[in-house]
Amino acid sequence: MRGLYDKVHISVGTLNLVIVVLVAALVFCLGFAVKNRGYQIDFDTQGGTVVESQTRMYGEVLEETLPPSREGYVFEGWSREREGGRLWNLQKDAVTESMTLYAQWKRK
């Protein structure tokens, strides 16, 4: 019975190099994943009370936050755009990258 190297038409040195490169790539990817433990989501309250940032993995939804408050305004929700736009649905919209969500306010 012959070994694997006899069935593959590639030199032992080349195959060993391929294995070393693949192992190095795997170690690099694991190191990157450990270093970057998800995406950071910042909340810009645009003059309201502070809301802490969250870290989430790809595809996760955000935790409910206490809505910020701002004198003379009613909080309407969060948007990816500073000046309005579609509101972010904390129960349904999934995180796909690091981002900042902006508080949207309506005058009382």
Side-chain angles (χ1 to χ4, degrees), residues 4-97:
L4 174 64
Y5 291 111
D6 289 337
K7 294 180 182 180
V8 177
H9 300 290
I10 189 171
S11 71
V12 172
T14 302
L15 191 54
N16 286 337
L17 179 63
V18 168
I19 291 170
V20 168
V21 168
L22 290 175
V23 168
L26 178 62
V27 169
F28 174 78
C29 289
L30 288 173
F32 183 80
V34 167
K35 181 182 173 205
N36 299 302
R37 295 183 179 186
Y39 299 108
Q40 181 167 330
I41 292 74
D42 296 315
F43 297 92
D44 183 339
T45 61
Q46 303 198 79
T49 55
V50 175
V51 174
E52 294 294 321
S53 297
Q54 296 183 25
T55 301
R56 291 287 170 269
M57 299 304 287
Y58 183 92
E60 292 182 338
V61 296
L62 296 174
E63 286 183 17
E64 285 286 336
T65 62
L66 289 176
S69 59
R70 182 177 172 194
E71 193 171 325
Y73 292 86
V74 174
F75 177 69
E76 292 188 314
W78 299 103
S79 174
R80 291 193 72 174
E81 293 81 31
R82 184 177 294 276
E83 300 297 327
R86 185 181 73 82
L87 293 180
W88 186 268
N89 185 327
L90 293 175
Q91 291 83 30
K92 293 182 181 178
D93 291 337
V95 172
T96 58
E97 62 187 336

